[in-house]
Amino acid sequence: MPRLALYALVVCALAVAAAVVSFVQGTWLGVIWVLLAGVSSNMAWYYWRRGPRVTS
């Protein structure tokens, strides 16, 4: 697994957890966390599909 994809996946999971906590507390800040989760999941998907690149 490419390292950047793993980092983006971790950020996505943390953003989803933060969104759940925000919505449970009744704040609308969770909307921003949901948007961050969407962006980071797209990044994870992109870096996963791109695969490891060997540069010399």
Side-chain angles (χ1 to χ4, degrees):
M1 171 182 262
R3 186 176 297 161
L4 286 176
L6 181 62
Y7 291 157
L9 197 59
V10 168
V11 169
C12 181
L14 291 174
V16 168
V20 169
V21 169
S22 293
F23 284 129
V24 166
Q25 290 179 349
T27 63
W28 287 97
L29 190 62
V31 173
I32 295 172
W33 290 115
V34 168
L35 293 175
L36 181 64
V39 169
S40 62
S41 70
N42 286 339
M43 288 176 60
W45 176 253
Y46 172 77
Y47 286 122
W48 177 273
R49 297 283 293 159
R50 193 176 116 185
R53 303 286 174 162
V54 177
T55 59
S56 56

